């Protein structure tokens, strides 16, 4: 099968290639999924699991990508809850071969059903961005109606979902980004927008929750405006700056199929829009995964094609 393989850690995105790899076989409690579309997170180059296995040994030519939508093509021994031909979406294990391939093996417990009226391209854009937003806001941020949220990167793949979910649950959302992102952030539901290049975070006053996808100096300045009892939630590694009288949480997204169902239900009924930027085929994936300019939204690689993107 065709797959996108990481060859050179030092080269990051420049060190990937389209290669032929054996089709996976399902282990106990696995399924093999015929991949129709796969999402990609540029930070994958920085994840240790891309380069070493759980024992600390080097991973040779790992298949990259960890979120996808497709159709179950085979079942491992003992696998329950899924059936051959079923449309599914979700996240694969970080330490196993990933989803930028024609087939992927994944534990059945990591998958959720993909409704027939949600196409594979949209389905593949949801798992990591959607679950990151959901878990950051509700599990770690413990968002309550009436609170204020500072959503960094509010027009991006994660930030746009953060903005929409926070608004749905009754929060006041201040989105941030570059000047060119202003209208997109407002369209996703931000009550206000702050241009990080030209406006001062200190002018906001105070907020109850900061959802940080940037880190560094932006994180440090954000921590200083969190109200007593508030929370800084980070998805960019250990928190460098903590609020004076509040919590700081950093987390790695987990696969929770019940939350995937919550997210895709919102897509079906129009409460949630995903932000898809670049869409490319597997044969043309290398330039899409190694862009020469800043990309907006989620990058999706279409592995298979259907007239209406249906199984």
């Amino acid at each position: 099968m065709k797959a996108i393989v990481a060859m050179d850690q030092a080269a990051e995105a420049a060190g990937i290639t389209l290669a032929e790899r054996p089709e996976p076989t399902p282990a106990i409690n696995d399924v093999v999924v015929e991949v129709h579309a796969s999402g990609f997170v540029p930070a994958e180059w920085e994840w240790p699991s891309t380069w070493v296995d759980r024992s600390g040994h080097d991973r040779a030519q790992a298949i990259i990508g960890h979120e996808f939508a497709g159709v179950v093509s085979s079942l491992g021994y003992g696998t329950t809850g899924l059936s051959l031909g079923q449309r599914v979406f979700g996240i694969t294990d970080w330490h196993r071969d990933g989803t930028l391939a024609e087939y992927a093996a994944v534990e059945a417990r990591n998958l959720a059903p993909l409704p027939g009226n949600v196409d594979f391209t949209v389905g593949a854009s949801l798992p990591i961005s959607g679950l990151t937003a959901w878990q950051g806001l509700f599990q770690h941020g413990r968002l309550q109606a009436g609170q204020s949220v500072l959503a960094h990167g509010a027009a991006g793949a994660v930030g746009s979902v953060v903005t929409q979910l926070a608004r749905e649950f009754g929060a006041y959302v201040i989105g941030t980004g570059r000047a060119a992102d202003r209208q997109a952030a407002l369209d996703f539901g931000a009550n206000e927008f702050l241009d990080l290049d030209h406006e001062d975070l200190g002018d906001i006053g105070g907020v109850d929750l900061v959802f940080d996808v940037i880190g560094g100096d932006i994180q440090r300045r954000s921590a200083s405006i969190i109200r007593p009892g508030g929370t800084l939630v980070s998805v960019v590694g250990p928190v460098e700056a903590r609020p004076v009288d509040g919590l700081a949480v950093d987390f790695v997204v987990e696969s929770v199929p019940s939350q995937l169902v919550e997210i895709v239900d919102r897509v079906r009924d129009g409460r949630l829009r995903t932000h898809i930027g670049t869409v490319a085929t597997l044969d043309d994936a290398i330039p899409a995964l190694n862009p020469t300019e800043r990309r907006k939204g989620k990058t999706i690689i279409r592995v298979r094609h259907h007239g209406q993107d249906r199984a």
Side-chain angles (χ1 to χ4, degrees):
M1 68 173 184
K2 294 178 182 177
I4 305 294
V5 174
M7 304 290 287
D8 183 349
Q9 183 172 5
E12 296 186 341
I16 59 176
T17 188
L18 180 65
E20 282 290 331
R21 294 290 297 274
E23 288 185 19
T25 55
I28 294 173
N29 297 321
D30 268 359
V31 298
V32 171
V33 176
E34 181 185 81
V35 179
H36 286 244
S38 172
F40 181 72
V41 178
E44 193 170 331
W45 315 120
E46 302 162 18
W47 301 346
S49 57
T50 300
W51 308 106
V52 297
D53 63 21
R54 283 193 169 84
S55 301
H57 299 120
D58 287 346
R59 295 183 66 197
Q61 299 183 19
I63 298 172
I64 59 173
H66 288 284
E67 59 186 332
F68 72 124
V71 174
V72 175
S73 63
S74 62
L75 305 173
Y77 180 79
T79 298
T80 59
L82 295 173
S83 57
L84 292 174
Q86 184 173 358
R87 302 170 97 252
V88 293
F89 74 123
I91 300 177
T92 62
D93 187 283
W94 308 123
H95 290 87
R96 296 179 68 175
D97 274 339
T99 59
L100 282 164
E102 293 180 295
Y103 294 90
V106 57
E107 289 183 70
R109 65 185 178 88
N110 285 333
L111 299 176
L114 181 69
N117 59 352
V118 177
D119 69 42
F120 291 111
T121 302
V122 172
S125 74
L126 293 172
I128 290 179
S129 299
L131 290 174
T132 298
W134 188 279
Q135 292 166 17
L137 286 173
F138 306 130
Q139 286 180 227
H140 304 293
R142 298 182 181 181
L143 180 67
Q144 303 291 320
Q147 291 185 324
S148 55
V149 174
L150 181 64
H152 285 308
V158 173
S160 60
V161 183
V162 170
T163 298
Q164 292 171 85
L165 289 176
R167 281 295 307 273
E168 179 191 341
F169 282 82
Y172 184 92
V173 178
I174 303 162
T176 79
R178 297 177 178 177
D181 300 325
R182 180 183 300 272
Q183 193 55 53
L186 295 174
D187 288 345
F188 280 116
N191 297 94
E192 316 178 21
F193 181 83
L194 185 131
D195 174 0
L196 289 173
D197 291 331
H198 302 103
E199 297 176 289
D200 187 356
L201 276 169
D203 293 342
I204 291 173
V207 296
D208 299 299
L209 191 155
V210 171
F211 201 118
D212 180 36
V213 298
I214 300 173
D217 183 58
I218 296 296
Q219 184 183 95
R220 286 188 284 276
R221 285 188 278 152
S222 301
S224 69
I225 64 169
I226 293 175
R227 294 182 179 127
T231 305
L232 170 64
V233 174
S234 169
V235 296
V236 290
V239 175
E240 300 175 14
R242 295 178 174 272
V244 174
D245 183 16
L247 296 174
V249 180
D250 68 275
F251 76 101
V252 176
V253 64
E254 297 180 306
S255 178
V256 183
S258 61
Q259 294 174 358
L260 285 173
V261 171
E262 291 275 7
I263 291 161
V264 80
D265 281 349
R266 285 166 167 76
V267 172
R268 291 174 74 188
D269 65 20
R271 283 178 289 168
L272 183 65
R273 286 189 296 125
T274 184
H275 188 185
I276 296 172
T278 302
V279 179
T281 65
L282 192 61
D283 287 335
D284 297 324
I286 302 298
L289 301 175
N290 193 11
T292 56
E293 58 190 25
R294 181 175 178 246
R295 292 281 176 83
K296 296 182 178 181
K298 173 75 72 173
T299 295
I300 300 293
I301 304 303
R302 293 283 303 273
V303 180
R304 285 177 173 79
H305 297 273
H306 298 273
Q308 296 299 315
D309 200 11
R310 299 286 191 264

